[in-house]
Amino acid sequence: MKVTVAGSGYESFVISACLAEMGNVITHYSQTPPTNVHDLSFHEPGLPAMLESNVSARRLSFSDDISLASDCDLCILALGHADTVDEQALDFATEFGAALNSETILINSSPTSLGVTEKMLEAAQSSGNTVSIVCYPVFLKEGEGVEDFMRPDRIILGTESYEARSVMVSLLRPFSRQKDRVTPMSIRDAELTRLAASAMLATRISLMNEIAAIAESFGADIEAVRSGIGADSRIGYSYLYPGVGYGGVCLPGDINELVNEAASKDIQPVLLNAVLQRNSMQQEWAASALRDCLGNLRGKQIAVWGLAFRPETADVSGSAAIVLIRQLLDAGATVAAYDPMAMEAANKVLGEQAGVTFCSHQYDALTDSDALVLMTEWKPFRQPDFNAIGKLLKQPVIIDGRNQYDSAALKQAGFTYRGVGRGNRE
């Protein structure tokens, strides 16, 4: 098919690359097309090589010309999370509709508010051209976007048009060859499905963090508890890991959208507000654990491993590590930080504050530090040299915000160890 994908965030590039990989001819439209696919503003494993190969095969091209972009069988709008995403979506629909020369389909894959997809249809048709609309939420995790798109759990298609649905099913058939993963529904159903999925995942995370807090006070080990409840087929293990709270822009943004929508309809979102509150409280955990181990933090240097909100991305949006660093600076401590990819982004967000040193190697952050805090579960942090860590740290203190390490082994080796919900048993 001849497809236009509009957007400048990682979602739009993932969609363009994956659809082109299946033989479609893709025009990627944005106001600032990339000059080099290896120099994007985000990191997504495998994506630059896939983009480059499809550009070379002439299945993918980039353009800032709306008239060229409107010459397509269908157009997918995939904007990133932003405060102005609704306005951006409506502006694009108006511009796209005015540029059309033939009947086409407009697909909304952007994180817009409830009801915006229908407004996009009105905007696209305002010039008198015939446009069908589809709400097609894509569920992509940063750092795993290509894999998520190529092997989706489900394909949600919200539309009132049988013809538009048939075209989308044909376009996406290569991604569900072994099993039909398409779930057709109305536009409003699809919009709410996207938000409800985020709410469900965030609720599991916050519930586990709350149980972890109980485990800490009770002297139980949340890892044993997690294994016990995850074995229940009704529960499972997915998103059942306690930690320092969820971050990014998707989960917080989607839950706030649901809370605001509920409030506008005079519905009290009791549970969703509790999810937000628990996540905010969880971002206090690491600083509290440090005080428990070190006492007053003034004058202490803390090594922080991991700055991105999740591994395999350079994104620090909503990162609990950024929250922790600000808490440490407010407490009079200094920070030596290391992340494989996110240090430049963290430096921009923190504004090059005095008291923060970004280290070129993970072990460099340990020298003269009073404690190590693990905040992001990057692979290089999973099996570090604990003998080296013990020699480099001024005090053998490890605060494990991702429960990656063997608490019994570390305590036997002479470390003071704190994990999330690990019971703090000495």
Side-chain angles (χ1 to χ4, degrees), residues 10-302:
Y10 89 98
E11 298 95 340
S12 64
F13 283 97
V14 169
I15 294 171
S16 288
C18 293
L19 291 179
E21 190 76 5
M22 295 302 173
N24 298 285
V25 178
I26 309 297
T27 299
H28 189 114
Y29 169 79
S30 69
Q31 295 181 346
T32 55
T35 56
N36 184 347
V37 296
H38 290 278
D39 191 27
L40 300 173
S41 60
F42 55 88
H43 172 76
E44 192 66 43
L47 180 60
M50 186 180 286
L51 290 169
E52 184 176 52
S53 67
N54 282 286
V55 169
S56 298
R58 293 186 292 180
R59 291 189 297 266
L60 173 62
S61 61
F62 299 94
S63 176
D64 60 359
D65 185 345
I66 190 64
S67 62
L68 180 63
S70 62
D71 181 20
C72 60
D73 299 316
L74 54 90
C75 175
I76 300 175
L77 178 64
L79 302 171
H81 277 79
D83 293 339
T84 58
V85 65
D86 292 350
E87 291 80 2
Q88 292 178 47
L90 293 173
D91 288 346
F92 175 81
T94 301
E95 183 182 17
F96 178 75
L100 288 175
N101 294 314
S102 60
E103 181 177 348
T104 193
I105 303 169
L106 178 59
I107 297 99
N108 182 22
S109 293
S110 305
T112 50
S113 301
L114 296 175
V116 169
T117 302
E118 292 170 335
K119 293 179 181 178
M120 287 175 61
L121 177 60
E122 296 174 4
Q125 292 178 333
S126 62
S127 297
N129 291 315
T130 303
V131 181
S132 300
I133 195 82
V134 177
C135 179
Y136 165 48
V138 289
F139 302 93
L140 308 180
K141 300 184 292 293
E142 287 193 48
E144 301 177 30
V146 172
E147 178 68 17
D148 287 344
F149 194 93
M150 297 295 278
R151 296 174 177 81
D153 294 323
R154 73 289 203 198
I155 297 173
I156 304 297
L157 296 178
T159 183
E160 319 304 331
S161 167
Y162 176 79
E163 292 77 12
R165 182 183 302 157
S166 297
V167 171
M168 287 296 293
V169 168
S170 178
L171 174 70
L172 299 172
R173 185 171 291 119
F175 305 102
S176 59
R177 289 178 60 84
Q178 294 182 347
K179 176 184 177 182
D180 184 8
R181 303 182 188 280
V182 174
T183 302
M185 57 184 67
S186 74
I187 291 172
R188 293 189 178 190
D189 292 342
E191 287 183 322
L192 186 55
T193 296
R194 178 182 66 81
L195 296 174
S198 293
M200 185 65 70
L201 296 176
T203 300
R204 285 176 67 96
I205 294 170
S206 287
L207 177 59
M208 279 304 294
N209 284 332
E210 189 147 301
I211 296 174
I214 296 171
E216 281 190 16
S217 64
F218 182 61
D221 188 341
I222 192 62
E223 290 303 302
V225 175
R226 181 182 66 80
S227 296
I229 63 176
D232 188 326
S233 61
R234 298 169 300 174
I235 299 173
Y237 291 102
S238 181
Y239 279 74
L240 211 61
Y241 295 89
V244 289
Y246 59 79
V249 293
C250 294
L251 292 188
D254 289 349
I255 296 170
N256 280 313
E257 165 64 18
L258 272 177
V259 167
N260 293 335
E261 179 67 20
S264 71
K265 300 295 192 295
D266 294 325
I267 297 171
Q268 294 295 322
V270 178
L271 183 56
L272 292 176
N273 278 324
V275 169
L276 291 171
Q277 182 181 8
R278 166 48 64 185
N279 196 60
S280 178
M281 293 170 62
Q282 199 65 22
Q283 293 183 336
E284 303 283 340
W285 176 85
S288 176
L290 282 167
R291 291 190 186 92
D292 181 48
C293 295
L294 301 177
N296 193 326
L297 298 179
R298 182 167 298 278
K300 301 291 195 306
Q301 177 173 297
I302 308 300

